[in-house]
Amino acid sequence: MMNKNEYKNFDAIGLANLVKNGEVSPYELLDLAIEITEENESEISALNIRLYEEARSYIKNELSGGYLEGVPFLVKDLNVSIKGIPTTMTCDLFKDNIADFNSHLIEQYKKAGLVIFGLTKTPEMALSLTTEPLAHPPTRNPINKKYSSGGSSGGSAAAVCAGYVPAAHGTDGGGSIRVPAALCGLFGLKPSRGRISSGPLIGEGLGGMVTSHVITKSVRDSAVILDISKNNFLGEPYYTTDEKVFLNEIDKPTNKLKIAYLTKDFFGTKISNELNQNTIKIAKLCQSLGHEISEEEIYLGDFDILRAWKILPGVNLLNIINQKCMSLKIDIKDANIEPLTMAWIDDAKSYSALDYHKTINIMHAIGRKISYYLSKYDLILSPTLAIPKLEIGVIKGDHTDIDKHLNFLFKSFSPFTAIFNQSGGAAMSIPFGKTSDGFPLGVHFAGGIGDELKLLKLAYQIEKTAPWT
C-alpha cells in the first residue's frame, strides 16, 4: 500500500498512471488525501466544504476512465457550480446557495476522472490577494504558518503545498492563481481570455478578466488539465482556439524566444535589489537555454488603473449580490458581510453605465499597449510579487477604505499580475530562487492571447534545468 509520503511525491499524472497500472486504487488515493487533509486542516484551514462521501459515491457510481482517473482534486469555492453543493464564495450570506447543475468546467473535470472531495477557501467574495475572511480562520501558508498563502485561490495553493492534492482548481481575475502559487512555491498558469469556459451560468467575469485553471506542483499537470478544460462549448462570448494537445507539445524543442525583463514595475517604481537580482538570474538562465533577453521599461501610469479596479469589481460585486439575494430571498441589510465588502457594494451604486463603459475602454487600451510590447518580444519577465511574503493580518476586510486596499494590492504587493488580466493574455508564475531567509520566490512570464504553449514549453525547460520539487 502507498503511504502518505509517497502520495505527496507524485504529481497528478503520476498518480493517474499508478491507477491505470493497477498499482493503487482510487479509493486508496482518496483515503490518503483525506487523511493528510484531516491531519493538517486545523492549522492550515484551506477548505470551506468537505465532500468526502460525495467523492466516494463518485468513485463507486460515476468513475469510468479518463486521463486523470482516480486523482484526488479540490475545487475553489467560486465561479463554478457542483450540483447539490453550495457555492458560498466564503460569504455566510450564500451558505444556502445550492447549485442545481454542474458548470461546464466541473463536467470536464469529472469526465477526466478527477475525484473532487472538497471546496477550497477564498477571501470573502474573492476581493483580496490573501485568504483571511473575517468570519472564518485565515488560510495559512504551509511553508511558514505565520504567513499567508495568498489569494484569492489561497485555499487551493495551501492544499497543494501541504500535500492534500497534487493540483487544485483556482480562478484568476487579478493574479489570484499566480500570487498564491508564488507565495507557496508552486506553478500557476493563468490562461488566455476565452480559453476556459465559465458557463453555462456565467458568460464573463470582470469584463472578461476572470478565468479558471489550476495551481500545480508540475508543469505537465498544468498542461494536461488545460487540455481537459479548454473551451469547446457553443455560445461562449470569447474563444481561444488551439487544436494542439498541450501535454504532447511541452517537451518538444521550443523556438528561440525574445524575452524582455523589467527592473521597474508598470508605475515606474524600481524593483527591490533582492527581487531584481533574482529576475536577472532567471533571465540569464533563459539565455543559457538559447533565448534572447533584453531589459525593457513599460510605463502604464498614464492609465487610471486603480479607478478601473475600483469600478469594475464593484459593479460586478453589486450585480452578483443583487442576483443572489433575489434568488435566495435574502435581505442584504441583515447579512453578516465584511465592512470592506459592504463599502464596495455601496460605492458601486454611485456609478453610471457610462462610468462602466469608460472602465472597459481603459482595460482595452491597456491591452493594446501591452500588445505593442508583445509585438517586439515574445514574453515579458518580472518578479511575480513586489513583496515576496505576507504576514497574516496585514490585509484585512475590517475597514471601508477601498482605495487603501487597492493601492496595497496592485501597487505595493502585486503590481505585475493584474495587467495581464486586463490585456487578456496568458501569464504564469514559476518558483525560482529564495529570499535571504529561505522563503520561495516567484518569477512571472507573460504573453499575449493564445500564448499558453509558448509559456508551458519555457516552464518545462526551466523545470528540467532548475527543478523546484
Side-chain angles (χ1 to χ4, degrees):
M1 288 183 64
M2 177 181 281
N3 63 43
K4 288 178 287 186
N5 287 332
E6 289 171 331
Y7 169 85
K8 290 180 182 181
N9 283 331
F10 282 91
D11 65 0
I13 290 176
L15 291 177
N17 287 338
L18 293 177
V19 171
K20 287 182 177 70
N21 295 334
E23 297 175 59
V24 67
S25 77
Y27 288 109
E28 287 178 74
L29 294 183
L30 178 60
D31 287 343
L32 285 166
I34 291 172
E35 188 177 351
I36 294 165
T37 300
E38 291 303 311
E39 284 179 354
N40 291 277
E41 186 58 11
S42 62
E43 288 190 327
I44 293 172
S45 192
L47 297 187
N48 269 343
I49 298 173
R50 291 164 168 82
L51 301 174
Y52 298 167
E53 292 312 310
E54 290 86 350
R56 290 190 174 96
S57 175
Y58 169 74
I59 292 171
K60 180 180 179 181
N61 299 312
E62 297 183 62
L63 198 60
S64 58
Y67 198 92
L68 296 177
E69 181 176 11
V71 176
F73 192 67
L74 294 167
V75 169
K76 182 178 178 180
D77 190 3
L78 187 85
N79 280 17
V80 290
S81 300
I82 301 175
K83 187 175 181 179
I85 306 300
T87 303
T88 74
M89 299 170 275
T90 318
C91 180
D92 290 344
L93 183 66
F94 301 128
K95 64 184 185 298
D96 298 321
N97 182 36
I98 310 297
D100 56 7
F101 64 93
N102 288 328
S103 57
H104 290 330
L105 187 57
I106 295 300
E107 288 293 332
Q108 299 293 83
Y109 288 159
K110 285 177 171 282
K111 286 177 186 175
L114 289 166
V115 179
I116 299 167
F117 70 95
L119 300 185
T120 61
K121 188 177 289 184
T122 73
E124 184 175 88
M125 304 294 292
L127 294 175
S128 187
L129 291 176
T130 183
T131 303
E132 302 179 48
L134 295 180
H136 302 266
T139 301
R140 297 182 180 273
N141 194 322
I143 295 168
N144 185 326
K145 297 181 184 69
K146 285 172 49 182
Y147 293 94
S148 169
S149 64
S152 61
S153 306
S156 291
V160 175
C161 185
Y164 299 10
V165 287
H169 164 257
T171 65
D172 193 316
S176 291
I177 284 174
R178 292 158 289 156
V179 169
L183 291 174
C184 293
L186 300 167
F187 180 68
L189 173 73
K190 180 197 81 71
S192 302
R193 179 180 297 141
R195 179 72 73 187
I196 308 293
S197 171
S198 296
L201 189 61
I202 302 170
E204 64 174 19
L206 294 182
M209 291 196 298
V210 175
T211 187
S212 283
H213 192 38
V214 286
I215 296 169
T216 62
K217 292 191 291 187
S218 71
V219 174
R220 68 176 188 170
D221 275 1
S222 190
V224 74
I225 297 174
L226 195 60
D227 285 324
I228 287 160
S229 310
K230 58 189 180 184
N231 181 9
N232 58 359
F233 300 98
L234 296 173
E236 294 290 325
Y238 309 108
Y239 281 97
T240 303
T241 58
D242 194 324
E243 298 305 316
K244 291 179 180 176
V245 177
F246 291 116
L247 182 63
N248 293 347
E249 298 289 325
I250 60 170
D251 61 348
K252 293 180 180 177
T254 186
N255 295 330
K256 180 179 180 179
L257 300 174
K258 294 180 69 177
I259 300 171
Y261 69 91
L262 307 183
T263 57
K264 294 180 180 178
D265 68 22
F266 298 114
F267 302 98
T269 304
K270 195 161 181 62
I271 297 165
S272 75
N273 185 59
E274 181 177 48
L275 295 176
N276 193 37
Q277 290 304 312
N278 195 58
T279 302
I280 292 170
K281 187 176 179 182
I282 197 165
K284 289 180 176 177
L285 174 62
C286 291
Q287 189 175 46
S288 74
L289 294 171
H291 305 298
E292 180 183 332
I293 64 167
S294 304
E295 185 178 346
E296 183 60 89
E297 184 172 342
I298 303 175
Y299 182 69
L300 299 174
D302 295 334
F303 297 99
D304 197 348
I305 291 171
L306 293 188
R307 179 170 167 79
W309 272 102
K310 191 175 187 180
I311 294 174
L312 195 51
V315 172
N316 187 71
L317 175 64
L318 178 61
N319 179 53
I320 291 170
I321 289 284
N322 283 344
Q323 285 185 345
K324 295 297 182 184
C325 286
M326 190 179 299
S327 65
L328 296 170
K329 297 180 173 58
I330 296 170
D331 185 347
I332 195 170
K333 293 177 183 176
D334 300 327
N336 179 25
I337 291 181
E338 293 178 12
L340 182 63
T341 306
M342 187 59 78
W344 222 327
I345 292 167
D346 289 339
D347 182 70
K349 294 174 184 176
S350 68
Y351 299 116
S352 67
L354 183 59
D355 292 321
Y356 185 84
H357 186 68
K358 286 178 179 177
T359 301
I360 294 294
N361 282 343
I362 290 172
M363 301 301 190
H364 292 169
I366 289 168
R368 291 187 186 95
K369 187 155 186 179
I370 290 294
S371 294
Y372 163 74
Y373 287 98
L374 289 171
S375 70
K376 296 170 59 179
Y377 305 101
D378 292 290
L379 300 174
I380 297 166
L381 165 64
S382 70
T384 306
L385 297 168
I387 300 173
K389 58 184 180 181
L390 185 71
E391 283 198 55
I392 295 289
V394 171
I395 308 175
K396 297 184 112 179
D398 60 353
H399 62 89
T400 59
D401 193 335
I402 307 164
D403 293 322
K404 174 185 173 183
H405 181 70
L406 291 172
N407 265 285
F408 184 82
L409 290 189
F410 297 127
K411 279 197 169 180
S412 300
F413 181 43
S414 182
F416 302 102
T417 57
I419 294 301
F420 298 98
N421 296 83
Q422 293 166 318
S423 72
M428 66 182 178
S429 180
I430 295 177
F432 184 84
K434 293 184 183 295
T435 62
S436 57
D437 58 353
F439 218 80
L441 290 171
V443 289
H444 190 265
F445 290 88
I449 291 176
D451 276 347
E452 285 90 334
L453 184 56
K454 194 182 292 183
L455 289 166
L456 286 166
K457 289 178 81 165
L458 177 62
Y460 193 75
Q461 275 191 313
I462 294 169
E463 183 183 35
K464 295 302 176 189
T465 307
W468 50 83
T469 55

